[in-house]
């Protein structure tokens, strides 16, 4: 129970002291004022520790997922590299099979012979092919009189 002050507080340098009121008797026994109850620390500490543990677990999970993605990306990179090498090998093999000597050898195995008399030139504009000689004489191969050649 509080007792009202008879004299208002002074604004000064020190704390204000209550002056005893004449009609009131001083209390026989001073009753200690109850202290403010402090909030318990345990729930707060548990909350902080729980948040730290949760953050640590989430970071570990995130790291694991990123590591899995890294392994997958590395595997895909290796597959792409292998497929590019296979493509290059096949391209080289096809280029070797299209060489004139190989084509001629394969044609002979199939019983085909070159037809030197009807050699045709393929014109790139898509018009009909024409004979290679087409009435032209070979340069440097003119017949010389009296030689029979």
């Amino acid at each position: 129970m509080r007792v009202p002050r008879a004299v208002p507080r002074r604004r000064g340098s020190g704390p204000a002291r209550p002056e005893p009121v004449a009609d009131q008797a001083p209390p026989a026994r001073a009753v200690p004022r109850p202290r403010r109850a402090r909030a318990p620390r345990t729930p707060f500490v548990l909350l902080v520790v729980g948040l730290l543990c949760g953050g640590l677990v989430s970071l570990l999970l995130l790291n694991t997922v990123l590591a899995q993605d890294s392994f997958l990306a590395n595997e895909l990179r290796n597959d792409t590299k292998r497929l590019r090498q296979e493509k290059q090998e096949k391209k080289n093999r096809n280029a070797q099979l299209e060489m004139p000597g190989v084509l001629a050898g394969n044609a002979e195995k199939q019983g085909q012979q070159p037809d030197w008399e009807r050699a045709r030139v393929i014109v790139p504009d898509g018009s009909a092919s024409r004979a290679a000689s087409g009435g032209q004489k070979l340069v440097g191969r003119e017949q010389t009189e009296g030689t029979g050649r």
Side-chain angles (χ1 to χ4, degrees), residues 67-143:
Q68 287 176 345
D69 289 344
S70 174
F71 283 119
L72 178 63
N74 193 22
E75 183 179 329
L76 291 174
R77 238 182 265 119
N78 290 338
D79 287 346
T80 304
K81 185 177 180 181
R82 181 182 49 80
L83 290 173
R84 282 185 181 153
Q85 287 176 346
E86 287 179 11
K87 178 183 174 184
Q88 190 64 35
E89 290 171 3
K90 289 179 181 181
K91 187 176 179 182
N92 290 340
R93 179 69 181 144
N94 284 341
Q96 288 175 352
L97 291 175
E98 291 174 353
M99 294 178 81
V102 176
L103 285 176
N106 288 338
E108 286 179 14
K109 288 178 187 175
Q110 294 177 6
Q112 298 177 354
Q113 297 290 328
D115 187 6
W116 296 110
E117 296 186 14
R118 286 193 300 148
R120 301 280 179 190
V121 175
I122 299 174
V123 183
D125 64 356
S127 62
S129 61
R130 59 181 173 82
S133 59
Q136 300 173 352
K137 292 184 180 178
L138 296 175
V139 178
R141 302 276 297 180
E142 295 87 15
Q143 288 186 356

Side-chain angles (χ1 to χ4, degrees), residues 23-61:
D23 58 338
Q24 289 183 353
R29 191 173 127 215
V31 178
R33 289 190 309 187
R35 288 187 178 180
R36 277 188 162 177
R38 287 175 49 183
R41 289 186 180 182
T42 307
F44 178 72
V45 170
L46 289 177
L47 174 70
V48 170
V49 169
L51 288 174
L52 288 174
C53 290
L56 180 65
V57 168
S58 64
L59 283 175
L60 288 174
L61 289 175

